[in-house]
Amino acid sequence: MKYKVVIFDLDGTLLDTLKDLANAVNYALSSNNYPTRTIEEIKSFIGNGTRVLIKRALPQDTSAESYELVYQDFINYYKAHNLDFTHPYKDIKTLLSTLKEKGYKTAIISNKNDDATKLMQKEYFSDLIDVAIGTRNFSKTKPNPESTLEVMDILNVDKKQCVFVGDSEVDILTAKNAKIPCISVSWGFKSREFLEKNGATIIIDEPLDLLKHI
């Protein structure tokens, strides 16, 4: 074993959350008389947390007051509908079960709200993920390494024992800032070409391919 702990991003890495996120974004936009966005547009907006997602979805000249109204509508709708279409990617549960059998510890670090992150961990991976941390009021979002370092403290491991797995440039930067390796995945919200242009050094195309690198 090269590592003892595998830290995963959530959206686009373990779970396909795109349809539920898109539905929530477009509900919030249309409810406030803004034009809706395509799935591909919303896909490109994901990665830096829900506040940035809504900011990117709105016109640039949107007032702060209007932004907050749209954001709250998004949050309320997504809270009620975040499990409608969300599902683990193919072979993800097999991968996590295999990691557990082999003695690895696993964690989720997400820019999604902490409550939603923990809800999804409980719903889909209750016995397969040891720690799940999302964005809290007092915490900094990825690519800040704060939550990554918190996971290391909770699991009592050092940087040399950890690897980060994610689907975006944000995850690559998070790993870099935490001074740990990153393995990028091509099945999520960013293309292989995009990942390569943004510094990915290892890219896997299937979940079980991860076992070859850890």
Side-chain angles (χ1 to χ4, degrees):
M1 292 170 60
K2 287 184 184 179
Y3 310 107
K4 291 185 177 180
V5 175
V6 184
I7 303 170
F8 291 96
D9 167 59
L10 183 60
D11 297 56
T13 301
L14 297 179
L15 293 178
D16 184 350
T17 56
L18 182 57
K19 190 168 184 178
D20 285 333
L21 284 169
N23 287 346
V25 169
N26 282 331
Y27 170 84
L29 291 173
S30 62
S31 295
N32 290 275
N33 298 313
Y34 289 104
T36 58
R37 296 287 195 160
T38 68
I39 285 279
E40 285 304 311
E41 285 176 320
I42 293 170
K43 186 177 180 180
S44 72
F45 298 155
I46 296 170
N48 294 88
T50 53
R51 284 202 165 272
V52 176
L53 169 61
I54 296 303
K55 183 178 181 180
R56 289 170 175 168
L58 282 165
Q60 290 187 351
D61 59 353
T62 302
S63 69
E65 182 181 5
S66 295
Y67 165 84
E68 284 299 330
L69 291 174
V70 175
Y71 181 72
Q72 288 305 317
D73 282 345
F74 166 82
I75 289 295
N76 292 335
Y77 184 94
Y78 190 63
K79 185 175 182 179
H81 296 277
N82 59 19
L83 302 180
D84 288 359
F85 297 99
T86 289
H87 59 275
Y89 287 102
K90 182 176 180 290
D91 291 334
I92 284 295
K93 285 195 172 183
T94 300
L95 170 64
L96 295 177
S97 295
T98 303
L99 291 175
K100 185 172 184 178
E101 290 169 5
K102 290 180 176 293
Y104 291 93
K105 294 290 185 181
T106 53
I108 291 170
I109 295 177
S110 176
N111 280 344
K112 187 186 292 294
N113 175 277
D114 189 60
D115 289 342
T117 299
K118 287 179 166 57
L119 171 67
M120 291 184 177
Q121 182 270 335
K122 183 178 180 181
E123 177 73 17
Y124 299 106
F125 313 118
S126 60
D127 58 342
L128 298 174
I129 296 287
D130 298 292
V131 181
I133 298 175
T135 299
R136 297 153 292 182
N137 290 336
F138 58 85
S139 67
K140 297 177 180 177
T141 59
K142 296 183 299 182
N144 187 287
E146 180 181 278
S147 295
T148 307
L149 300 177
E150 183 179 350
V151 162
M152 295 179 195
D153 287 339
I154 291 171
L155 297 179
N156 193 30
V157 292
D158 62 35
K159 295 176 182 179
K160 293 180 181 179
Q161 297 171 310
C162 299
V163 63
F164 204 105
V165 180
D167 73 306
S168 76
E169 76 282 12
V170 176
D171 300 313
I172 294 169
L173 286 173
T174 302
K176 181 178 180 180
N177 292 337
K179 297 180 171 57
I180 62 175
C182 183
I183 297 173
S184 300
V185 308
S186 66
W187 59 78
F189 299 158
K190 306 292 183 180
S191 68
R192 172 179 278 271
E193 181 182 15
F194 179 91
L195 293 169
E196 289 172 346
K197 287 181 178 178
N198 282 272
T201 55
I202 299 174
I203 303 174
I204 59 174
D205 299 315
E206 302 287 343
L208 295 178
D209 289 346
L210 179 66
L211 299 172
K212 303 172 185 177
H213 297 279
I214 60 171

